[in-house]
Amino acid sequence: MIERPVRTLAVFPYYADNPWQETVHQGLVDRGDRVVGLADVSDVGSVRAQLGGFLPDSLHLGWSTPVTQTVPDVVESMRRVRVFLETVRELRRLGVRVVWTVHNVLSHELHHVVPEIALHQGLADEVDVVHVMNPRTAKVVRPLYSLPPASTRVLPHPSYPGVDVGGVADESPSSGRTPVRLLLVGEIRPYKGIVPFAQLVHAARSEGVDVTLEIRGRVGGGLAVSDLVSELSDLDGVSFVPGRVAEADLAPVLSGADALVVPYAAGLNSGVAVLAASAGRPLLVGPALRGSWSLEPTWQLPLWPARAGDETADHHGHEVSPRSGVAALRGAVARVGDEGPALRRAAREAARLTAPETLAHEYAELFLPTV
């Protein structure tokens, strides 16, 4: 029997503590292929040097920030984009398969807009496969750049194994106790709208909504812990614990929540949404995500007022007033309390359908096809 040769997937950017990367690449590792993170893709020689003199069979590209947003000068940012795209073209000429995952419409902390758009359009035009997790991605990004339908592949974000924190399936999560406890977990960055949502919780409590909010996560994106502490400390019902939640602490943190929240001011994909499903918890979705989010009504609850004949209101990201925000939060909180068992079951089913072992082969074939 002839053994299949070990092949190599190079990854840029590569983050050793990123659970998404570990999950989507695990199928390759399981079948005996090699996954290597790259620190630099500035030229073909650099790629070879990082791989012991060889080129990878495939290159998986992800977040654009390291290319476009880590230099202060827009001219230098554009130069880096040109060099990066030329390296991608040269690697493809040399037989390297290139796959690009569209994580965000644009980088969240955006300093250089024109280079960012140029990079995204350039990658869309050059790579072998454009991978999207949100089926609405092509429509959402179209005002800024276009994705080629023929080479775009939809593969959903895998759920996270081992984080279903259980609970009695037939019991409402808030049964026998109040208030309904909301959790906002993950890296704390400006685009996530965390302070405005905390202020909304404070306002809702003042109007009798029995809800609390716990905020847990590492502070980034130019925010300062001291500033957040100052802004959040006087808000009734809001607690803030800065710092990355260790893997060993994740289950206890999740088990203390009745629902998770994504009140983001922008977004295309959300690991927190997948984490909620994996933990068997419903998700509250903020109004600014209306244009990019396809609600799963069996376990995802909108934080915006419904309009007659249109349960998701409009899809233009319009801000809701404080009064309507409180009303929408009141309604979502009531549903978490009243429909907890059904919401939890639906969340778990969503996670089951996107289990890593279910998607492992498809992801492995996306990066390194066997045929």
Side-chain angles (χ1 to χ4, degrees), residues 232-246:
L232 298 170
S233 59
D234 292 333
L235 299 180
D236 183 37
V238 176
S239 63
F240 172 41
V241 183
R244 186 174 186 269
V245 179

Side-chain angles (χ1 to χ4, degrees), residues 15-371:
Y15 303 116
D17 63 348
N18 185 288
W20 180 85
Q21 287 187 318
E22 180 181 358
T23 303
V24 299
H25 297 145
Q26 188 60 46
L28 292 175
V29 176
D30 290 343
R31 76 183 191 189
D33 289 315
R34 192 166 67 123
V35 178
V36 181
L38 298 178
D40 176 50
V41 187
S42 58
D43 58 70
V44 172
S46 173
V47 174
R48 286 188 190 273
Q50 293 172 81
L51 296 174
F54 298 94
L55 287 178
D57 297 279
S58 290
L59 172 64
H60 179 205
L61 302 174
W63 298 272
S64 54
T65 295
V67 179
T68 59
Q69 306 301 321
T70 57
V71 291
D73 184 77
V74 66
V75 175
E76 174 61 13
S77 176
M78 184 59 82
R79 187 197 69 81
R80 287 164 63 101
V81 168
R82 287 196 297 267
V83 169
F84 190 87
L85 291 174
E86 180 52 42
T87 302
V88 169
R89 283 190 286 268
E90 181 62 19
L91 287 169
R92 291 192 66 225
R93 283 195 290 267
L94 293 169
V96 177
R97 174 185 174 86
V98 182
V99 179
W100 171 43
T101 295
V102 185
H103 286 281
N104 308 305
V105 178
L106 298 173
S107 293
H108 290 305
E109 283 77 53
L110 190 61
H111 311 294
H112 308 310
V113 178
V114 173
E116 179 83 5
I117 295 174
L119 176 63
H120 281 236
Q121 187 62 69
L123 289 174
D125 293 340
E126 295 290 344
V127 303
D128 294 279
V129 181
V130 177
H131 166 228
V132 302
M133 292 176 283
N134 182 340
R136 302 182 70 174
T137 298
K139 180 179 180 180
V140 173
V141 306
R142 192 173 298 137
L144 298 171
Y145 53 92
S146 58
L147 302 180
S151 58
T152 297
R153 174 81 187 280
V154 180
L155 262 183
H157 192 310
S159 55
Y160 295 119
V163 297
D164 187 338
V165 292
V168 181
D170 295 326
E171 179 184 348
S172 171
S174 59
S175 177
R177 68 170 190 264
T178 54
V180 168
R181 301 171 299 180
L182 304 181
L183 173 65
L184 211 163
V185 65
E187 189 165 7
I188 298 170
R189 296 167 63 182
Y191 78 91
K192 292 191 173 183
I194 290 171
V195 171
F197 182 72
Q199 292 169 337
L200 177 62
V201 169
H202 174 86
R205 285 177 60 86
S206 72
E207 296 192 17
V209 181
D210 204 2
V211 62
T212 63
L213 173 66
E214 181 179 15
I215 302 169
R216 300 283 297 260
R218 178 173 56 190
V219 176
L223 295 177
V225 173
S226 57
D227 290 341
L228 284 169
V229 169
S230 176
E231 291 183 280
L232 298 170
S233 59
D234 292 333
L235 299 180
D236 183 37
V238 176
S239 63
F240 172 41
V241 183
R244 186 174 186 269
V245 179
E247 187 173 345
D249 298 329
L250 188 56
V253 169
L254 291 168
S255 67
D258 297 321
L260 274 66
V261 191
V262 285
Y264 304 168
L268 185 62
N269 303 290
S270 172
V272 171
V274 177
L275 180 65
S278 304
R281 294 295 187 266
L283 182 76
L284 276 58
V285 180
L289 297 180
R290 282 176 292 187
S292 59
W293 200 280
S294 295
L295 279 175
E296 295 288 345
T298 57
W299 66 281
Q300 296 177 1
L301 309 179
L303 284 170
W304 58 84
R307 293 178 177 177
D310 180 7
E311 290 186 357
T312 59
D314 66 74
H315 294 284
H316 302 291
H318 296 147
E319 292 295 326
V320 296
S321 68
R323 176 65 58 183
S324 61
V326 168
L329 180 57
R330 183 192 299 276
V333 166
R335 288 191 60 191
V336 171
D338 296 340
E339 304 171 31
L343 293 169
R344 286 190 178 204
R345 286 193 295 270
R348 290 193 178 94
E349 176 62 13
R352 186 190 67 80
L353 293 174
T354 57
E357 59 270 23
T358 301
L359 299 176
H361 176 74
E362 291 185 75
Y363 267 105
E365 290 295 305
L366 173 72
F367 299 130
L368 285 172
T370 52
V371 179

